[in-house]
Coordinates of all heavy atoms in Angstrom, one line a residue:
G298 N 108.8 111.5 51.3 CA 108.5 111.7 52.7 C 108.0 110.5 53.3 O 107.8 109.4 52.6
T299 N 107.8 110.5 54.6 CA 107.3 109.4 55.4 C 105.9 109.7 55.8 O 105.6 110.8 56.3 CB 108.2 109.1 56.6 OG1 109.5 108.8 56.1 CG2 107.7 107.8 57.3
Y300 N 105.0 108.8 55.7 CA 103.5 108.9 56.1 C 103.1 107.9 57.1 O 103.6 106.7 57.0 CB 102.7 108.8 54.8 CG 102.9 109.9 53.8 CD1 104.1 109.9 53.0 CD2 102.1 111.0 53.7 CE1 104.3 110.9 52.1 CE2 102.3 112.0 52.8 CZ 103.4 112.0 52.0 OH 103.7 113.0 51.1
Q301 N 102.2 108.2 58.0 CA 101.7 107.3 59.0 C 100.2 107.1 58.8 O 99.5 108.1 58.6 CB 102.0 107.9 60.4 CG 101.5 107.0 61.5 CD 101.8 107.7 62.9 OE1 101.5 108.9 63.1 NE2 102.5 107.0 63.7
A302 N 99.8 105.9 58.9 CA 98.4 105.5 58.7 C 97.6 106.1 59.9 O 98.0 106.0 61.0 CB 98.2 104.0 58.7
V303 N 96.5 106.7 59.6 CA 95.6 107.3 60.6 C 94.9 106.2 61.4 O 94.8 106.3 62.6 CB 94.6 108.3 60.0 CG1 93.5 108.7 61.0 CG2 95.3 109.5 59.4
I304 N 94.5 105.1 60.7 CA 93.7 104.1 61.4 C 94.6 103.1 62.1 O 94.2 102.4 63.0 CB 92.7 103.4 60.5 CG1 93.5 102.7 59.3 CG2 91.6 104.3 60.0 CD1 92.6 101.8 58.5
K305 N 95.9 103.0 61.7 CA 96.8 102.0 62.4 C 98.2 102.7 62.4 O 99.0 102.6 61.5 CB 96.9 100.7 61.6 CG 97.6 99.6 62.3 CD 97.4 98.3 61.6 CE 98.0 97.2 62.3 NZ 98.0 95.9 61.6
K306 N 98.4 103.4 63.5 CA 99.6 104.3 63.7 C 100.9 103.5 63.6 O 102.0 104.1 63.3 CB 99.5 105.1 64.9 CG 98.3 105.9 65.0 CD 98.6 107.3 65.4 CE 97.4 108.2 65.6 NZ 96.7 108.6 64.4
S307 N 100.9 102.2 63.8 CA 102.2 101.5 63.7 C 102.6 101.3 62.2 O 103.8 100.9 62.0 CB 102.0 100.1 64.3 OG 101.0 99.3 63.7
E308 N 101.8 101.5 61.3 CA 102.1 101.4 59.8 C 102.5 102.7 59.2 O 101.9 103.7 59.4 CB 100.9 100.8 59.1 CG 100.6 99.4 59.4 CD 99.5 98.8 58.5 OE1 99.3 99.4 57.4 OE2 99.0 97.8 58.9
T309 N 103.6 102.6 58.5 CA 104.1 103.8 57.8 C 104.5 103.4 56.4 O 104.6 102.2 56.0 CB 105.4 104.4 58.5 OG1 106.4 103.4 58.4 CG2 105.1 104.9 59.9
L310 N 104.6 104.4 55.5 CA 105.1 104.2 54.2 C 106.0 105.3 53.8 O 106.0 106.4 54.4 CB 103.9 104.1 53.2 CG 102.9 105.2 53.0 CD1 103.4 106.3 52.1 CD2 101.6 104.6 52.6
K311 N 107.0 105.0 52.9 CA 108.0 106.0 52.5 C 107.8 106.2 51.0 O 107.7 105.2 50.2 CB 109.4 105.5 52.8 CG 110.5 106.4 52.4 CD 111.8 105.9 52.7 CE 112.9 106.8 52.3 NZ 114.2 106.2 52.4
I312 N 107.7 107.4 50.6 CA 107.6 107.8 49.2 C 108.9 108.6 48.8 O 109.3 109.5 49.5 CB 106.4 108.6 48.9 CG1 105.1 107.8 49.3 CG2 106.3 109.1 47.5 CD1 103.8 108.5 49.2
Y313 N 109.5 108.2 47.7 CA 110.8 108.8 47.3 C 110.9 108.8 45.8 O 110.2 108.1 45.1 CB 111.9 108.0 47.9 CG 111.9 106.5 47.6 CD1 112.6 106.0 46.5 CD2 111.1 105.6 48.4 CE1 112.6 104.6 46.2 CE2 111.0 104.3 48.1 CZ 111.8 103.8 47.0 OH 111.7 102.4 46.7
I314 N 111.8 109.6 45.3 CA 112.1 109.7 43.9 C 113.4 109.0 43.6 O 114.4 109.2 44.3 CB 112.2 111.2 43.5 CG1 110.9 111.9 43.7 CG2 112.7 111.3 42.0 CD1 110.9 113.4 43.4
E315 N 113.4 108.2 42.5 CA 114.6 107.5 42.1 C 114.6 107.5 40.6 O 113.6 107.1 39.9 CB 114.5 106.1 42.6 CG 115.8 105.3 42.4 CD 115.7 103.9 43.0 OE1 115.8 103.9 44.3 OE2 115.6 102.9 42.3
Q316 N 115.6 108.0 40.0 CA 115.8 108.1 38.5 C 114.6 108.8 37.9 O 114.1 108.4 36.9 CB 116.1 106.8 37.9 CG 117.4 106.2 38.3 CD 117.6 104.8 37.7 OE1 116.7 104.2 37.2 NE2 118.9 104.4 37.7
G317 N 114.1 109.9 38.6 CA 113.0 110.7 38.0 C 111.6 110.1 38.2 O 110.7 110.7 37.7
K318 N 111.5 109.0 38.9 CA 110.2 108.4 39.1 C 109.9 108.3 40.6 O 110.8 108.2 41.4 CB 110.1 106.9 38.5 CG 110.2 106.9 37.0 CD 110.1 105.5 36.5 CE 110.2 105.4 35.0 NZ 110.1 104.1 34.5
L319 N 108.6 108.3 40.9 CA 108.1 108.3 42.3 C 107.9 106.8 42.6 O 107.3 106.1 41.9 CB 106.8 109.1 42.4 CG 106.5 109.6 43.8 CD1 107.6 110.5 44.3 CD2 105.2 110.4 43.7
Y320 N 108.4 106.4 43.8 CA 108.2 105.0 44.3 C 107.7 105.1 45.8 O 107.9 106.1 46.5 CB 109.5 104.3 44.3 CG 110.1 104.0 42.9 CD1 110.9 104.9 42.3 CD2 109.7 102.8 42.3 CE1 111.4 104.6 41.0 CE2 110.1 102.5 41.0 CZ 111.0 103.4 40.4 OH 111.5 103.2 39.1
M321 N 107.2 103.9 46.2 CA 106.7 103.8 47.6 C 107.1 102.5 48.2 O 107.1 101.4 47.5 CB 105.2 103.9 47.6 CG 104.6 103.8 48.9 SD 102.8 103.8 48.9 CE 102.4 102.1 48.5
D322 N 107.5 102.5 49.5 CA 107.8 101.3 50.3 C 106.8 101.2 51.5 O 106.7 102.3 52.1 CB 109.2 101.3 50.8 CG 110.3 101.1 49.7 OD1 110.0 100.7 48.6 OD2 111.4 101.5 50.0
L323 N 106.3 100.1 51.8 CA 105.4 99.9 53.0 C 106.3 99.4 54.1 O 107.1 98.5 53.9 CB 104.3 99.0 52.7 CG 103.3 99.4 51.6 CD1 102.3 98.3 51.3 CD2 102.5 100.6 52.1
S324 N 106.0 99.9 55.3 CA 106.8 99.4 56.5 C 106.6 98.0 56.8 O 107.5 97.3 57.4 CB 106.5 100.3 57.7 OG 105.1 100.1 58.1
N325 N 105.4 97.4 56.5 CA 105.2 96.0 56.8 C 105.8 95.0 55.8 O 105.5 93.8 55.8 CB 103.7 95.7 57.0 CG 102.9 95.9 55.7 OD1 103.4 96.1 54.6 ND2 101.6 95.9 55.8
K326 N 106.5 95.6 54.8 CA 107.3 94.8 53.8 C 106.4 94.1 52.8 O 106.9 93.3 52.0 CB 108.2 93.8 54.4 CG 109.1 94.4 55.5 CD 110.2 95.2 54.9 CE 111.2 95.6 56.0 NZ 111.3 96.9 56.4
T327 N 105.1 94.4 52.7 CA 104.2 93.8 51.7 C 104.3 94.5 50.4 O 103.9 93.9 49.4 CB 102.7 93.8 52.2 OG1 102.3 95.2 52.3 CG2 102.5 93.0 53.4
G328 N 104.9 95.6 50.4 CA 105.1 96.3 49.1 C 106.4 97.1 49.2 O 106.6 97.9 50.1
R329 N 107.3 96.9 48.2 CA 108.6 97.6 48.2 C 108.9 98.0 46.8 O 108.6 97.3 45.8 CB 109.7 96.7 48.7 CG 109.5 96.2 50.1 CD 110.7 95.7 50.9 NE 111.9 96.5 50.8 CZ 112.2 97.6 51.5 NH1 111.3 98.1 52.3 NH2 113.4 98.2 51.4
H330 N 109.4 99.2 46.7 CA 109.8 99.8 45.4 C 108.7 99.8 44.4 O 108.9 99.4 43.2 CB 111.1 99.1 44.9 CG 111.9 99.9 43.9 ND1 112.5 101.1 44.2 CD2 112.1 99.8 42.6 CE1 113.1 101.6 43.2 NE2 112.8 100.8 42.1
M331 N 107.5 100.2 44.8 CA 106.3 100.2 43.9 C 106.3 101.5 43.2 O 106.3 102.6 43.9 CB 105.0 100.0 44.8 CG 105.0 98.6 45.4 SD 103.4 98.3 46.2 CE 103.5 99.4 47.6
V332 N 106.2 101.5 41.9 CA 106.2 102.7 41.1 C 104.8 103.4 41.3 O 103.8 102.7 41.4 CB 106.5 102.4 39.6 CG1 105.4 101.6 38.9 CG2 106.8 103.7 38.9
M333 N 104.8 104.7 41.3 CA 103.6 105.5 41.3 C 103.5 106.3 40.0 O 104.3 107.2 39.8 CB 103.7 106.4 42.6 CG 103.8 105.7 43.9 SD 103.9 106.8 45.3 CE 102.2 107.4 45.4
Q334 N 102.6 105.9 39.2 CA 102.4 106.5 37.9 C 101.5 107.8 38.0 O 100.4 107.7 38.5 CB 101.8 105.6 36.9 CG 102.6 104.4 36.5 CD 102.0 103.5 35.5 OE1 100.7 103.5 35.4 NE2 102.8 102.7 34.8
P335 N 101.9 108.9 37.5 CA 101.1 110.1 37.6 C 99.9 110.1 36.7 O 100.0 109.7 35.6 CB 102.1 111.3 37.2 CG 103.1 110.6 36.4 CD 103.2 109.2 36.9
L336 N 98.8 110.5 37.3 CA 97.5 110.6 36.5 C 97.2 112.1 36.4 O 96.5 112.6 35.5 CB 96.4 109.9 37.2 CG 96.5 108.4 37.3 CD1 95.3 107.8 38.1 CD2 96.6 107.7 36.0
S337 N 97.7 112.9 37.4 CA 97.7 114.4 37.4 C 98.8 114.9 38.3 O 99.6 114.1 38.7 CB 96.3 114.8 38.0 OG 96.2 114.7 39.4
Q338 N 98.8 116.1 38.7 CA 99.9 116.7 39.5 C 99.8 116.1 40.9 O 100.8 116.0 41.6 CB 99.8 118.2 39.6 CG 100.3 118.8 38.3 CD 100.4 120.4 38.5 OE1 99.9 120.9 39.4 NE2 101.1 121.0 37.6
T339 N 98.6 115.7 41.4 CA 98.4 115.2 42.8 C 97.9 113.8 42.9 O 97.9 113.2 43.9 CB 97.5 116.1 43.5 OG1 96.2 116.1 42.8 CG2 98.0 117.5 43.6
L340 N 97.5 113.2 41.8 CA 96.9 111.8 41.8 C 97.8 110.8 41.1 O 98.3 111.1 40.0 CB 95.5 111.9 41.1 CG 94.7 110.6 41.1 CD1 94.4 110.2 42.6 CD2 93.5 110.7 40.3
F341 N 98.0 109.7 41.7 CA 99.0 108.7 41.2 C 98.3 107.3 41.3 O 97.6 107.0 42.2 CB 100.3 108.7 42.0 CG 101.1 109.9 41.8 CD1 100.7 111.1 42.5 CD2 102.1 109.9 41.0 CE1 101.5 112.2 42.3 CE2 102.9 111.1 40.8 CZ 102.5 112.2 41.5
L342 N 98.6 106.5 40.3 CA 98.2 105.1 40.2 C 99.3 104.2 40.6 O 100.5 104.4 40.3 CB 97.8 104.7 38.8 CG 97.3 103.3 38.5 CD1 96.0 103.0 39.3 CD2 97.2 103.0 37.0
L343 N 99.0 103.1 41.4 CA 100.0 102.1 41.8 C 99.8 100.9 41.0 O 99.0 100.0 41.5 CB 100.0 101.9 43.3 CG 100.6 103.0 44.1 CD1 99.7 104.1 44.5 CD2 101.2 102.4 45.4
P344 N 100.3 100.7 39.8 CA 100.0 99.6 39.0 C 100.6 98.2 39.5 O 100.1 97.2 39.1 CB 100.7 99.9 37.6 CG 101.8 100.8 38.0 CD 101.3 101.6 39.2
D345 N 101.5 98.3 40.5 CA 102.1 97.0 41.0 C 101.1 96.3 41.9 O 101.3 95.1 42.2 CB 103.4 97.3 41.8 CG 104.5 97.8 40.9 OD1 104.5 97.4 39.7 OD2 105.4 98.6 41.4
V346 N 100.1 97.1 42.4 CA 99.1 96.4 43.2 C 98.0 95.9 42.3 O 97.2 96.6 41.7 CB 98.4 97.5 44.2 CG1 97.4 96.8 45.1 CG2 99.4 98.2 45.0
M347 N 98.0 94.5 42.1 CA 97.2 93.9 41.1 C 95.8 93.5 41.5 O 94.9 93.6 40.7 CB 97.9 92.6 40.7 CG 99.3 92.8 40.2 SD 99.3 93.6 38.6 CE 100.6 92.8 37.7
R348 N 95.6 93.2 42.8 CA 94.3 92.7 43.2 C 93.2 93.7 43.2 O 92.0 93.3 42.9 CB 94.4 92.0 44.6 CG 94.7 92.9 45.7 CD 94.7 92.2 47.0 NE 95.0 93.2 48.1 CZ 94.1 93.9 48.7 NH1 92.8 93.9 48.3 NH2 94.4 94.8 49.6
V349 N 93.5 95.0 43.4 CA 92.5 96.0 43.4 C 93.2 97.3 42.9 O 94.3 97.6 43.3 CB 91.8 96.2 44.8 CG1 92.8 96.6 45.8 CG2 90.6 97.1 44.7
R350 N 92.4 98.1 42.1 CA 93.0 99.4 41.7 C 93.3 100.3 42.9 O 92.5 100.5 43.8 CB 92.0 100.1 40.8 CG 92.5 101.4 40.1 CD 91.4 102.0 39.2 NE 92.0 103.0 38.4 CZ 92.0 104.3 38.7 NH1 91.5 104.7 39.8 NH2 92.6 105.2 37.8
T351 N 94.5 100.8 42.9 CA 95.0 101.6 44.0 C 95.5 102.9 43.5 O 96.4 103.0 42.6 CB 96.1 100.8 44.8 OG1 95.6 99.6 45.2 CG2 96.6 101.6 46.0
T352 N 95.0 104.0 44.1 CA 95.5 105.3 43.8 C 95.9 106.0 45.1 O 95.5 105.7 46.2 CB 94.4 106.2 43.1 OG1 93.3 106.3 44.0 CG2 94.0 105.6 41.8
A353 N 96.8 107.1 44.9 CA 97.2 107.9 46.0 C 97.0 109.4 45.5 O 97.4 109.7 44.4 CB 98.7 107.7 46.3
E354 N 96.4 110.1 46.4 CA 96.2 111.6 46.1 C 96.8 112.4 47.2 O 96.5 112.2 48.4 CB 94.7 111.9 45.9 CG 94.5 113.4 45.6 CD 93.0 113.7 45.4 OE1 92.1 112.9 45.7 OE2 92.8 114.8 44.9
F355 N 97.7 113.3 46.8 CA 98.4 114.1 47.8 C 97.6 115.4 48.0 O 97.1 116.0 47.1 CB 99.8 114.4 47.3 CG 100.7 113.2 47.2 CD1 100.9 112.6 46.0 CD2 101.3 112.8 48.4 CE1 101.7 111.5 45.9 CE2 102.1 111.6 48.3 CZ 102.3 111.0 47.1
R356 N 97.5 115.7 49.3 CA 96.7 116.9 49.7 C 97.7 117.9 50.3 O 98.6 117.6 51.0 CB 95.7 116.6 50.8 CG 94.7 115.5 50.3 CD 93.6 116.1 49.5 NE 92.7 115.1 48.9 CZ 91.6 114.7 49.5 NH1 91.3 115.1 50.7 NH2 90.9 113.8 48.9
R357 N 97.5 119.2 50.0 CA 98.4 120.3 50.4 C 97.7 121.3 51.3 O 96.5 121.5 51.2 CB 98.9 121.1 49.2 CG 99.8 120.3 48.3 CD 100.2 121.2 47.1 NE 101.1 120.5 46.2 CZ 102.4 120.6 46.2 NH1 103.0 121.3 47.1 NH2 103.1 119.9 45.3
E358 N 98.4 121.8 52.2 CA 98.0 122.9 53.0 C 99.1 124.0 53.0 O 100.2 123.6 53.3 CB 97.7 122.5 54.5 CG 96.4 121.7 54.6 CD 96.1 121.3 56.0 OE1 96.6 121.9 57.0 OE2 95.4 120.3 56.2
N359 N 98.8 125.2 52.7 CA 99.8 126.3 52.6 C 100.9 125.9 51.7 O 102.1 126.2 52.0 CB 100.2 126.7 54.0 CG 99.1 127.2 54.9 OD1 98.2 127.9 54.4 ND2 99.1 126.7 56.1
G360 N 100.7 125.2 50.6 CA 101.7 124.9 49.6 C 102.5 123.6 50.0 O 103.3 123.2 49.2
K361 N 102.3 123.0 51.1 CA 103.1 121.8 51.5 C 102.2 120.6 51.6 O 101.1 120.7 52.1 CB 103.8 122.0 52.9 CG 104.9 123.1 52.8 CD 105.6 123.1 54.1 CE 106.8 124.1 54.0 NZ 107.7 124.0 55.2
V362 N 102.7 119.5 51.1 CA 102.0 118.2 51.2 C 101.9 117.9 52.7 O 102.9 117.8 53.4 CB 102.7 117.1 50.4 CG1 102.0 115.8 50.7 CG2 102.7 117.4 49.0
T363 N 100.6 117.6 53.2 CA 100.4 117.3 54.6 C 99.9 115.8 54.8 O 100.0 115.3 55.8 CB 99.4 118.2 55.2 OG1 98.2 118.2 54.4 CG2 99.9 119.6 55.2
K364 N 99.3 115.3 53.7 CA 98.7 113.9 53.8 C 98.5 113.3 52.4 O 98.6 114.0 51.4 CB 97.4 113.9 54.6 CG 96.3 114.7 54.0 CD 95.1 114.6 54.9 CE 94.2 115.8 54.8 NZ 93.1 115.8 55.7
A365 N 98.3 112.0 52.4 CA 98.0 111.3 51.2 C 96.8 110.4 51.4 O 96.7 109.9 52.5 CB 99.2 110.4 50.7
I366 N 95.9 110.4 50.5 CA 94.7 109.6 50.6 C 94.9 108.4 49.6 O 94.9 108.6 48.4 CB 93.4 110.4 50.2 CG1 93.3 111.7 51.0 CG2 92.2 109.5 50.4 CD1 93.2 111.5 52.5
F367 N 95.0 107.2 50.1 CA 95.1 106.0 49.3 C 93.8 105.4 49.2 O 93.1 105.2 50.2 CB 96.1 105.0 49.9 CG 97.6 105.5 49.7 CD1 98.1 106.4 50.6 CD2 98.3 104.9 48.7 CE1 99.4 106.8 50.4 CE2 99.6 105.3 48.5 CZ 100.2 106.3 49.3
T368 N 93.4 105.0 48.0 CA 92.1 104.5 47.7 C 92.2 103.1 47.1 O 92.9 102.9 46.1 CB 91.2 105.3 46.8 OG1 91.2 106.7 47.4 CG2 89.8 104.8 46.6
Q369 N 91.7 102.1 47.9 CA 91.5 100.7 47.4 C 90.1 100.3 47.8 O 89.9 99.8 48.9 CB 92.5 99.8 48.2 CG 93.9 99.9 47.8 CD 94.8 98.9 48.6 OE1 94.6 98.7 49.7 NE2 95.8 98.4 47.9
E370 N 89.2 100.6 47.0 CA 87.7 100.4 47.3 C 87.3 101.4 48.3 O 86.2 102.0 48.2 CB 87.4 99.0 47.6 CG 87.7 98.0 46.5 CD 87.5 96.5 46.9 OE1 87.5 96.2 48.1 OE2 87.5 95.7 46.0
K371 N 88.0 101.6 49.4 CA 87.8 102.6 50.4 C 88.9 103.6 50.4 O 90.0 103.2 50.0 CB 87.6 102.0 51.8 CG 86.4 101.1 52.0 CD 86.5 100.7 53.5 CE 85.4 99.7 53.8 NZ 85.4 99.2 55.2
A372 N 88.7 104.8 51.0 CA 89.8 105.7 51.1 C 90.4 105.6 52.5 O 89.8 105.5 53.5 CB 89.2 107.2 51.0
Y373 N 91.8 105.6 52.5 CA 92.6 105.6 53.7 C 93.5 106.7 53.8 O 94.2 107.0 52.9 CB 93.4 104.3 53.8 CG 92.5 103.0 53.7 CD1 92.2 102.4 52.5 CD2 92.0 102.5 54.9 CE1 91.4 101.3 52.4 CE2 91.2 101.4 54.8 CZ 90.9 100.8 53.6 OH 90.1 99.6 53.5
E374 N 93.5 107.4 55.0 CA 94.3 108.6 55.1 C 95.6 108.3 55.8 O 95.7 107.6 56.8 CB 93.5 109.6 56.0 CG 94.1 111.0 56.1 CD 93.2 112.0 56.8 OE1 92.0 111.8 56.8 OE2 93.8 113.0 57.3
W375 N 96.7 108.9 55.2 CA 98.0 108.8 55.8 C 98.5 110.2 56.0 O 98.5 111.0 55.0 CB 98.9 108.0 54.8 CG 98.5 106.6 54.6 CD1 97.4 106.2 53.9 CD2 99.2 105.5 55.0 NE1 97.4 104.8 54.0 CE2 98.5 104.3 54.6 CE3 100.4 105.3 55.7 CZ2 98.9 103.0 54.9 CZ3 100.8 104.0 56.0 CH2 100.1 102.9 55.6
I376 N 99.0 110.5 57.2 CA 99.5 111.9 57.5 C 101.0 111.9 57.3 O 101.7 111.0 57.7 CB 99.2 112.2 59.0 CG1 97.7 112.1 59.2 CG2 99.7 113.6 59.4 CD1 96.8 113.1 58.4
K377 N 101.5 113.0 56.7 CA 103.0 113.1 56.5 C 103.6 113.5 57.8 O 103.2 114.4 58.5 CB 103.2 114.2 55.5 CG 104.7 114.3 55.1 CD 104.9 115.2 53.9 CE 106.4 115.1 53.5 NZ 106.7 116.0 52.4
I378 N 104.6 112.6 58.2 CA 105.3 112.8 59.5 C 106.8 113.3 59.3 O 107.4 113.7 60.2 CB 105.2 111.6 60.4 CG1 105.8 110.4 59.7 CG2 103.8 111.4 60.8 CD1 105.9 109.1 60.6
K379 N 107.3 113.1 58.1 CA 108.7 113.5 57.8 C 108.8 114.0 56.4 O 108.1 113.5 55.5 CB 109.7 112.4 57.9 CG 109.9 111.9 59.3 CD 111.0 110.9 59.3 CE 111.2 110.3 60.7 NZ 112.1 109.1 60.7

């Protein structure tokens, strides 16, 4: 799906499955085809981000993913828009 940053609405990211693995692309082109390694059913590690440990946790409402919380020292909320 596509997610929009809560603090900077011009930034989006796309999360997709390719060959059975989850990947992410950032709209600002600073990160493309970054693998998301599962730590649990909802928590993922982004090992391609080297400078600081980065995780993504998906949140559900009524069984559907509605947002992702990305953590890089601080938590950043991204709302699912597509």
Side-chain angles (χ1 to χ4, degrees):
T299 302
Y300 296 77
Q301 181 180 51
V303 169
I304 59 170
K305 193 171 182 184
K306 301 229 186 282
S307 63
E308 290 188 17
T309 61
L310 58 85
K311 182 180 176 186
I312 296 173
Y313 54 95
I314 296 173
E315 189 175 287
Q316 296 181 340
K318 293 184 180 180
L319 204 58
Y320 291 92
M321 183 181 80
D322 292 340
L323 295 171
S324 63
N325 66 6
K326 309 289 191 247
T327 60
R329 300 200 42 82
H330 203 68
M331 295 185 292
V332 69
M333 299 178 74
Q334 291 180 338
L336 300 176
S337 74
Q338 286 188 344
T339 58
L340 184 65
F341 293 79
L342 176 68
L343 284 87
D345 294 331
V346 181
M347 302 288 218
R348 65 177 181 83
V349 63
R350 185 176 194 268
T351 302
T352 60
E354 183 177 9
F355 294 97
R356 303 279 174 89
R357 295 178 180 263
E358 288 181 21
N359 300 318
K361 292 188 176 190
V362 174
T363 57
K364 62 182 152 183
I366 307 298
F367 284 80
T368 304
Q369 289 183 319
E370 297 172 347
K371 293 182 185 178
Y373 299 94
E374 187 173 337
W375 294 71
I376 303 297
K377 188 170 185 181
I378 58 173
K379 289 184 189 172

